[in-house]
Amino acid sequence: MHFYKLFFPLFCVRRNSMDLFGIYLIGALAVVAWLIVKRVQYARAGTTSLRRAKRIMGRHIFTPDDAFLYVGAPLPETARRMLKRVSFNEATLRHCKDTHLLVAVLPISINEIRAKAERRHFSDNNWYADLAFAKDEGLAGWHLVRKSSLPKSVWLPLGGQLGLLTEREALPSARVMVFTIIGFREKQGDHLFDAEFVRCADREGNYCISVGNFEHYRGNALELQRELEIQKQWESYVSGNLGIAPERLSDRDAA
């Protein structure tokens, strides 16, 4: 929309009927009003500018450029345009800024992340390499994922854990969790899910895929290992270190 056309008549008024300062003042107020209208429109559409999202989330954001730099994910122009606006409104971001991580996830598979990380962040047991969830590159998109497991989600089977979710939450895929954990470890050394697993949305037959346990002790010598593990458990399996870390559903979809 050519904004100036709305106010062009104002500038056609003879200067002897309105001083120049008045014209400038009316124009400035019009621009401010237009910006407010656009901000309300974006809020209603369930989106936030990337610049404002950075201010709100602080160090809890992983941008498209971060994904390219620290995970090695491809960043085509189509993905950059798609991620130009964050698919959550400001109210959601402010509510989640201390408990969640805002992540720009790019199309890249778990296998590719593992290869680009040169296995330094992964355990040697890659039993999942030939499975569909490990080969899936997915789509580019913004994800708002909890940075720790949901309280009281351990010692519950999958059904009990799903009962803790709100209508605006869902289990993230293993790809999103791996992307998030590796990305924040590479960018700023954050230790996410060091001593716990979280169930993901992926299935392998009757098993649930889980991700985590980044720092653990292994072997008779109890040597500390810093490597991400991917496991599978029965839906009925319960443990004190197996919870869920749900992600918020996009506000754009709900708008």
Side-chain angles (χ1 to χ4, degrees), residues 152-186:
K152 300 182 180 180
S153 66
V154 298
W155 295 116
L156 289 175
L158 176 64
Q161 292 173 331
L162 293 179
L164 299 176
L165 300 179
T166 69
E167 62 180 9
R168 300 295 304 136
E169 293 178 320
L171 294 186
S173 68
R175 184 182 75 90
V176 168
M177 292 305 300
V178 170
F179 192 103
T180 300
I181 294 170
I182 298 299
F184 274 88
R185 175 60 68 94
E186 283 287 306

Side-chain angles (χ1 to χ4, degrees), residues 105-122:
V105 178
L106 297 178
I108 186 172
S109 70
I110 292 175
N111 287 340
E112 290 172 316
I113 296 174
R114 179 187 175 93
K116 291 180 181 296
E118 298 175 350
R119 294 172 52 188
R120 66 181 180 276
H121 291 315
F122 290 84

Side-chain angles (χ1 to χ4, degrees), residues 3 38 43 49 86 106 143 149 195 231 240:
F3 183 76
K38 295 301 292 184
S49 70
V86 175
L106 297 178
H143 294 261
S149 62
Q231 292 189 355

Side-chain angles (χ1 to χ4, degrees), residues 228-248:
L228 183 64
E229 292 190 321
I230 300 177
Q231 292 189 355
K232 59 181 181 180
Q233 294 95 5
W234 291 101
E235 294 182 2
S236 58
Y237 178 76
V238 299
S239 172
N241 70 339
L242 177 61
I244 57 172
E247 64 174 326
R248 286 288 296 252

Side-chain angles (χ1 to χ4, degrees), residues 189-207:
D190 285 359
H191 295 197
L192 303 175
F193 308 103
D194 275 350
E196 62 179 340
F197 285 95
V198 286
R199 278 188 167 117
C200 303
D202 303 276
R203 300 287 187 274
E204 171 58 23
N206 294 322
Y207 293 93

